[in-house]
Amino acid sequence: MEERQRVRRPGGRAARVGAAVHQAVTDLISERGYGKFTVGDVAARAGVADSSVYRRWGNLEALLTDVALTRLNARSPMPDTGSLAGDLHTYAANVAREITGPEGLALLRLAVALSGNGQQGRRALDDLLAERARHLQSMLDRAGERGERAPDALEVLDHVMAPMYIRVLFGLDPLTPEYVDGLVDRLL
Amino acid sequence: MEERQRVRRPGGRAARVGAAVHQAVTDLISERGYGKFTVGDVAARAGVADSSVYRRWGNLEALLTDVALTRLNARSPMPDTGSLAGDLHTYAANVAREITGPEGLALLRLAVALSGNGQQGRRALDDLLAERARHLQSMLDRAGERGERAPDALEVLDHVMAPMYIRVLFGLDPLTPEYVDGLVDRLL
C-alpha cells in the first residue's frame, strides 16, 4: 500500500481512477440506494475494470467506507469567524447545505448503513465521528480561550446536528436558514 | 384484499404465516442488515413458500414497509399519566427502550432505508411519521386542556427524539435513564 502510494502522482492515472470510482459510488447511492449495486456496477459506471476496484479497495464495503470518509470530511471545514456564535451559525449552515440535496442525503444514509455493517463499517463510522468531534471540539476550545462560555460538543450534536440529520433522513420539512439559525440560537 | 381479510381468523393460518414472516424479516435485518436478503431468504427462514410471501405482500419493499409500520407503531403506546412532565418522561423512556437493542435498532435503520426507497417507501415512512405525530399531538393537546404550557410536537422531535435516534443510529453512548430524562427536562 505504502509502496503503491509513493509512486502515485496527483493528477496521474490512479487519481483519475479514484475520482471516477468515488463519483460512480456517489451516483449509484443517490440513484439506487445502499445495498442495491455491486462492484461490477461501480466499475462499469466509472469506466474501469472490476479488477482495478478490487485491487485498490479489496471489497465493496471498504470502497463505500472510503467514499463516505473522504466526502463527509472534505465537505465541512470548521469555520473560524472570531466568535462562538459566528462559528456555530456558519458551521450549522455548512452542515445543512452538505446534507441537503441528493448527494449529501445519500452520504448521510451511507453513514447510517455503515453503522450496521459489521466491524469494518462500525470502525469507519467511529473514525469519521471522532474526526468530526475533534474539529468541533477545537472550535469550542477556541471560544473558551477567548473567554466565551461554550457548550459541550455533545450538546452541539444533540441539539443542532441531530435535529437536522433526522429531518433530512426522514424527509421532513426543508432546513430553512431560519430553522438552522434557530437551533443555534436556542443552544447559545 | 378485503375479501381475503374477511375470511382470516385471528390465530388462523394466515395470522401464523404473517407473524412468522414478520419475525423472519426482523431477524434478517438484525443479522445481515437492510438490502442483504431476498424474499427467498425470508420465506426459508419463516418456513413458508416464496409464493405465499409474493401473494400476500407483492414484493420485498412492501413487506419491509409492512413490518416497519406494524412494529414501530405497536411499540410506543402514548402514556397518559395526568401531567405533561410525566407523559413526556414516560414517552421518552419508551422510545429509548424501543430503539435500543438489536431489533429496535434494525427497525430504526429500516425506517431510514425506507425514506430512500422510491415512492412506496417514502409514502410508508410518511404514514408512519404522521401517525406518530398525531399520537404525540394528542398527548400535548391533553396537557394544553389541563392548562399546562406544552411544547410543539416538532420541538419534541427535534430535542428529545432526534438526539436519541442519532445516538443510536451512529452507535454513540448508550441512552441512560439520566440522559433521556435530561433531554425532557431541558425541553420543559
Side-chain angles (χ1 to χ4, degrees):
Chain A
M1 193 66 177
E2 295 245 318
E3 199 56 34
R4 211 154 61 222
Q5 278 176 349
R6 208 176 301 151
V7 298
R8 244 183 235 161
R9 285 152 309 159
R13 185 179 139 68
R16 282 198 309 277
V17 168
V21 168
H22 273 220
Q23 190 59 50
V25 168
T26 310
D27 292 347
L28 285 166
I29 292 174
S30 298
E31 289 167 22
R32 301 193 195 170
Y34 175 76
K36 299 284 177 59
F37 56 88
T38 65
V39 164
D41 295 329
V42 172
R45 168 75 69 116
V48 304
D50 291 15
S51 57
S52 302
V53 176
Y54 283 115
R55 200 163 50 236
R56 183 139 150 200
W57 285 277
N59 60 42
L60 185 61
E61 303 309 325
L63 170 58
L64 292 175
T65 301
D66 183 35
V67 171
L69 281 172
T70 307
R71 295 245 153 170
L72 286 171
N73 270 327
R75 265 145 203 254
S76 298
M78 299 310 284
D80 187 4
T81 64
S83 80
L84 177 62
D87 284 359
L88 278 177
H89 278 288
T90 306
Y91 179 59
N94 287 348
V95 171
R97 199 175 49 244
E98 164 198 327
I99 62 177
T100 310
E103 203 169 280
L105 175 55
L107 291 169
L108 190 54
R109 283 213 192 93
L110 177 58
V112 170
L114 284 177
S115 76
N117 223 323
Q119 285 287 327
Q120 192 173 29
R122 189 59 259 164
R123 204 162 42 233
L125 183 64
D126 286 346
D127 289 349
L128 175 64
L129 294 172
E131 187 165 337
R132 281 297 184 95
R134 264 197 309 278
H135 290 163
L136 180 60
Q137 191 58 57
S138 67
M139 189 174 91
L140 298 172
D141 288 346
R142 279 201 308 273
E145 286 158 18
R146 284 190 304 257
E148 296 186 89
R149 218 176 56 78
D152 288 343
L154 282 174
E155 287 180 287
V156 178
L157 172 71
D158 281 347
H159 298 288
V160 179
M161 305 298 122
M164 294 197 289
Y165 287 157
I166 286 297
R167 286 193 174 214
V168 168
L169 281 172
F170 286 177
L172 301 173
D173 305 333
L175 303 179
T176 63
E178 294 71 34
Y179 171 73
V180 175
D181 283 339
L183 290 173
V184 173
D185 289 338
R186 186 187 173 111
L187 177 68
L188 293 175
Chain B
M1 193 64 177
E2 295 246 317
E3 199 56 36
R4 210 155 62 222
Q5 279 176 349
R6 208 177 299 150
V7 298
R8 242 183 237 161
R9 285 154 308 160
R13 186 180 139 68
R16 282 197 309 276
V17 169
V21 168
H22 273 219
Q23 190 58 50
V25 168
T26 311
D27 292 347
L28 286 166
I29 292 174
S30 298
E31 290 167 22
R32 300 193 196 170
Y34 175 77
K36 299 286 177 61
F37 56 88
T38 63
V39 164
D41 296 328
V42 172
R45 169 74 69 116
V48 303
D50 290 16
S51 57
S52 302
V53 176
Y54 283 115
R55 201 163 50 235
R56 184 139 150 200
W57 285 277
N59 60 43
L60 185 61
E61 303 309 326
L63 170 58
L64 292 175
T65 302
D66 183 35
V67 171
L69 280 172
T70 307
R71 295 245 152 169
L72 286 172
N73 270 326
R75 264 145 205 254
S76 298
M78 299 310 284
D80 188 3
T81 64
S83 80
L84 177 63
D87 283 359
L88 277 177
H89 278 288
T90 306
Y91 179 59
N94 287 349
V95 171
R97 200 175 49 242
E98 164 198 327
I99 62 178
T100 311
E103 202 169 281
L105 175 56
L107 291 169
L108 190 53
R109 283 211 192 94
L110 177 57
V112 170
L114 285 176
S115 75
N117 223 324
Q119 285 286 329
Q120 191 173 32
R122 191 58 260 163
R123 205 162 42 235
L125 183 64
D126 286 346
D127 289 349
L128 175 64
L129 293 172
E131 186 165 337
R132 279 298 183 93
R134 264 197 310 279
H135 290 163
L136 179 60
Q137 192 58 59
S138 67
M139 188 173 90
L140 299 172
D141 288 346
R142 279 202 307 274
E145 285 158 19
R146 284 191 303 258
E148 297 185 88
R149 218 176 57 79
D152 288 343
L154 282 175
E155 288 180 286
V156 178
L157 173 71
D158 281 347
H159 298 288
V160 179
M161 305 297 122
M164 295 197 287
Y165 287 158
I166 286 299
R167 286 192 174 215
V168 169
L169 281 172
F170 285 177
L172 301 173
D173 305 333
L175 303 179
T176 63
E178 294 70 35
Y179 171 73
V180 175
D181 283 339
L183 290 173
V184 173
D185 289 338
R186 185 187 174 110
L187 178 68
L188 292 176

